Amino acid sequence: PKLLSPDHFGIWTLLRTIPSYASYSHLGARSSMRLLVPQHLARQEQDRVIEICDATYTGSSVLNGLVALALVAAAAWPGLRMETRLGLVCMAGIVILQFAEEFAISVLRAHERFPAVNAATYLGTSVTFVLTLPGLYWFGLYGLFASILLSPALVLLYLRSRTPVRPRWMWNGPLFRDLVRRGFPVALTNVVLLLVQTADRFVVGGMLGTEALGQYGIAVFVIGFLSNVPGAAREVLEPRMMKELESGDSVGVLEEYVLKPLVNTAWLMPFLIGPMFLLLPVILPFVLPKYAEGVVPTQILLGGAYYLTLSFVTHTLIFARSWQWTAVAIVVSVLALDVGLGAAAVKLGFGLPGVAAASSLA
């Protein structure tokens, strides 16, 4: 945001939602793979693990390829700004690279190879930092597009050297359909939850324009950072919980992998949210004076972020107990509330704080 105008930052805020949604184009197959592989590893069924990985990789690569083609076709739509056209083409490339990177990370997490995942995260962050700053400084939004394509490509090269299972292109229709059947409710729940988290961006962009969305993008940036804290813990806990469930002590597993992390998150988050709430009015206008209007919406969203981060811990329990469709119904109703109240807030003249309040409530 420091090196982009609020208008361009608004365009970027919308474009970067595309990879988030494309991440679920596997239709739940990768969700099933990530949670089933630990179970088969616990049973010493290595051949089954390889079959699941191959089926997931092949089916998901086809689906992600279709999404990328659709984005390239959308870039040719008449009347689009050049920034948007190039951004859509860039996102098509990101979708393919992201698919391969996330698949490799899912395999590593399922095998509990967390040091390799951590190293990939550090590498991706470092490369992005090194490439993005000069790209933004000299070429603005276009330099940003180039840098975010190079970073995942380098991370993918590293991950391929560390993945314990090298996927093969082998179509297994019945197995892929079974993986989708098991994981589709999980993916659908995550997509609808993502809609709840991002619907405010679409309301602001559609009703107030990209410049206002740029101001609101600061709030999105801060909430995204906070969400990474419990989200990272969940990625470690999920495979371990699914493996422990094989022991049959479901009450002990629930205590260790759901209730304790839930309580820990409930105590930890105020120590992150409180200082942010208090320091934002001082630091943001000083560091990013063009985005001073984003202070109040960000403070409002911080209240809702507390409850959002608590919800992440429950995802594995929902899968283990097959409560996915119930979760979908709940989150869809919340999404309707979010969009309805957000649009009403704009119509009544409450602007960005009104949209943030609706989103925080959701």
Side-chain angles (χ1 to χ4, degrees):
K2 183 74 174 177
L3 296 173
L4 288 177
S5 66
D7 177 45
H8 276 182
F9 188 55
I11 292 173
W12 169 244
T13 300
L14 273 182
L15 283 173
R16 69 178 182 168
T17 62
I18 293 173
S20 300
Y21 286 101
S23 177
Y24 298 105
S25 57
H26 55 80
L27 301 180
R30 196 178 72 230
S31 303
S32 296
M33 180 194 77
R34 190 178 72 241
L35 296 170
L36 290 174
V37 165
Q39 290 182 326
H40 289 290
L41 287 174
R43 301 171 193 160
Q44 304 296 315
E45 297 172 348
Q46 186 63 33
D47 290 342
R48 187 61 175 170
V49 169
I50 294 172
E51 286 180 2
I52 290 172
C53 290
D54 289 345
T56 303
Y57 180 81
T58 304
S60 300
S61 62
V62 171
L63 294 171
N64 278 274
L66 293 174
V67 172
L69 287 174
L71 288 170
V72 173
W77 194 266
L80 292 179
R81 296 166 60 175
M82 181 56 67
E83 299 97 320
T84 307
R85 290 188 194 279
L86 290 177
L88 288 170
V89 173
C90 171
M91 291 303 139
I94 289 294
V95 165
I96 299 299
L97 291 169
Q98 175 184 264
F99 150 69
E101 181 182 336
E102 289 183 343
F103 177 86
I105 288 175
S106 293
V107 171
L108 287 168
R109 283 174 175 156
H111 286 78
E112 298 191 38
R113 304 282 184 88
F114 298 115
V117 175
N118 294 338
T121 302
Y122 291 131
L123 175 63
T125 303
S126 302
V127 172
T128 300
F129 181 78
V130 169
L131 294 178
T132 299
L133 285 178
L136 276 168
Y137 185 78
W138 283 310
F139 304 105
L141 190 59
Y142 303 121
L144 177 60
F145 292 157
S147 67
I148 63 167
L149 279 169
L150 288 170
S151 177
L154 293 174
V155 173
L156 183 58
L157 289 174
Y158 169 79
L159 287 171
R160 287 182 67 85
S161 69
R162 295 292 185 271
T163 307
V165 177
R166 284 294 182 91
R168 298 168 297 175
W169 184 274
M170 294 186 68
W171 175 249
N172 187 335
L175 178 55
F176 184 72
R177 285 193 295 271
D178 183 60
L179 291 169
V180 170
R181 179 186 63 79
R182 289 167 175 261
F184 182 73
V186 179
L188 184 59
T189 303
N190 288 335
V191 166
V192 181
L193 191 61
L194 181 62
L195 276 167
V196 172
Q197 293 175 248
T198 58
D200 49 356
R201 305 182 206 181
F202 298 112
V203 171
V204 173
M207 301 184 73
L208 296 174
T210 54
E211 187 162 346
L213 181 57
Q215 298 284 347
Y216 194 80
I218 295 298
V220 173
F221 183 84
V222 171
I223 302 307
F225 166 76
L226 282 176
S227 300
N228 282 333
V229 177
R234 191 190 103 206
E235 298 293 354
V236 175
L237 294 172
E238 275 186 349
R240 292 180 179 173
M241 177 178 172
M242 297 306 294
K243 187 179 289 186
E244 290 291 330
L245 282 172
E246 290 295 304
S247 67
D249 182 16
S250 58
V251 175
V253 171
L254 175 67
E255 173 76 23
E256 183 68 25
Y257 293 101
V258 179
L259 299 182
K260 282 184 179 178
L262 194 63
V263 172
N264 291 338
T265 304
W267 281 102
L268 168 66
M269 294 314 295
F271 290 97
L272 297 176
I273 292 172
M276 283 188 175
F277 185 94
L278 296 172
L279 292 173
L280 267 170
V282 178
I283 293 177
L284 189 62
F286 177 73
V287 177
L288 299 170
K290 294 184 292 186
Y291 297 88
E293 291 179 36
V295 170
V296 174
T298 305
Q299 288 181 307
I300 294 171
L301 272 178
L302 284 172
Y306 177 74
Y307 301 96
L308 175 67
T309 55
L310 289 179
S311 73
F312 294 152
V313 184
T314 65
H315 290 193
T316 310
L317 178 65
I318 289 169
F319 182 88
R321 291 286 179 254
S322 300
W323 294 338
Q324 296 96 316
W325 289 113
T326 304
V328 169
I330 292 170
V331 180
V332 165
S333 63
V334 172
L335 173 63
L337 179 74
D338 189 6
V339 175
L341 288 179
V346 174
K347 289 285 188 182
L348 292 172
F350 292 108
L352 297 181
V355 176
S359 186
S360 195
L361 177 64

